[in-house]
Amino acid sequence: VVGGTGYAAGSLGAPAPADGVIALSEGSSGASEADAAGGGSAPALGAPGTMSSTDERLSIYPPGGSWRTVFSASGLSDATTRAKAWTFDAASVFSAATAEAAARTLGVAGSATQSYGSWLVGSQDGTAPSVTLQPDGWASLSYYDPTRDPYSCLKEADAVAGATGPTCATQDPGPAPQGADAAAQMRQLLASLGIEATVEVETTAYDVPEEGAPRMTSVTAYQVLDGQRTGVTWSATLLGSGPQSFYGPMAPLVDLGEYDVVSESTAVARLNDPRFGASGGIIPLAAADTRGGAEVATSSDDPASTTVPAEPSDAPTVPASLPAGSDIPWPVTQVTLTEARLGLAVQWLPEGQVVLLPAYELGDGEGGTWSVVAVADDGLNFAAE
């Protein structure tokens, strides 16, 4: 695959690149929106992805494999504030009419029928175009035309040879849009589907190597709210003949009003509270981490203080016995947080609703980040289901 990338702000977009996603999911390894599109359990567009840092001192795991971490604040504010929260109104758009209107926009003929709780228009066996509206917290819409998929549809020669599957309806739809043109088509597609959102759009163009296969462009639109990417995305594959696939939420955002928000220092204290826990971000390796009996390099910039990893031995070894009366190793990582950013994070609620909650991203000044919900206790319901 030969490709190139492009970037364009949305037509309603921010004048400067938006802040990154804050992810509240437990045990996340960062917040890569590119991995978020359509991914995650609980169909979470905006679910956390892989860490983006290239710093070799960073790890997604605590030192020594320990999950015991104690957080403290340094230089952070004790001032409280208020911030808005939002929810997605899936009930207002989950209907046969919505599915049929989207299908018309995407060129799929037919009436909507119920299929495993979803509304389906078009092919039920995957051999022709179809549109599906799902009964989830933001009414996810998916569209796919297998007859125009340059990676999976059958060319005429394949069909003659006896291969089975969707046959390519269009052998050469012409060059796919790229860069700003692809971004403009994506924004137009969102508008045609009735999706109102401020977005930043990123595109990647591909040349499919199989003879006769059309070129394609992958496009992702990232929702921006209050100058931050929320973690909500819409994705599409564009060919010269138009969209070949699409996925994203149809539900409109509804303002839930303002909530009391805890201070930055209280947010750090919450990371020590089992009711909140630490939504793990990128965690710097501690100095003199020991794993598997071999010491690894410390984070010191002084070469003389760096511990060289032990050379592996051909002779089999086992850990040394613990002497009687020894203290039991119980490693605890101490993290001092010095940076805080208040923003929004996607959260799936127990009954399936999706909300955008005020949340803090907290940093240690060395690339390590953690996140925690910022809504004050009196705005949270701690009752077990």
Side-chain angles (χ1 to χ4, degrees), residues 188-243:
Q188 180 58 48
L189 177 57
L190 293 177
S192 298
L193 290 169
I195 297 169
E196 298 181 2
T198 300
V199 296
E200 290 181 340
V201 181
E202 295 181 3
T203 69
T204 303
Y206 296 93
D207 285 324
V208 184
E210 287 85 350
E211 183 178 356
R215 188 165 55 193
M216 59 186 287
T217 297
S218 174
V219 185
T220 303
Y222 300 90
Q223 183 188 52
V224 175
L225 194 60
D226 296 333
Q228 180 209 312
R229 290 188 180 187
T230 63
V232 179
T233 65
W234 295 266
S235 59
T237 300
L238 303 180
L239 306 180
S241 56

Side-chain angles (χ1 to χ4, degrees), residues 80-83 85 258-263 266-267 270 275-276 342 357-360 372-382:
T80 60
T81 185
R82 290 177 63 81
E258 288 192 337
Y259 287 76
D260 289 332
V261 168
V262 299
S263 68
T266 299
R270 278 187 165 186
R275 296 177 302 170
F276 301 99
L342 179 62
L357 294 178
Y360 278 108
V372 67
V373 64
V375 177
D377 286 12
D378 60 7
L380 300 172
N381 182 356
F382 294 108

Side-chain angles (χ1 to χ4, degrees), residues 23-118:
L24 286 178
S25 298
E26 192 69 28
S28 99
S29 56
S32 170
E33 303 98 310
D35 292 338
S41 54
L45 299 170
T50 58
M51 68 177 180
S52 58
S53 174
T54 56
D55 188 342
E56 293 180 355
R57 296 186 297 110
L58 301 183
S59 169
I60 63 172
Y61 298 106
S66 169
W67 58 89
R68 295 175 291 275
T69 306
V70 176
F71 298 90
S72 60
S74 176
L76 296 183
S77 172
D78 292 321
T80 60
T81 185
R82 290 177 63 81
K84 280 188 175 183
W86 308 79
T87 189
F88 289 85
D89 186 8
S92 69
V93 295
F94 182 71
S95 66
T98 299
E100 291 170 355
R104 287 194 298 272
T105 297
L106 294 163
V108 178
S111 300
T113 59
Q114 284 280 329
S115 176
Y116 299 99
S118 301

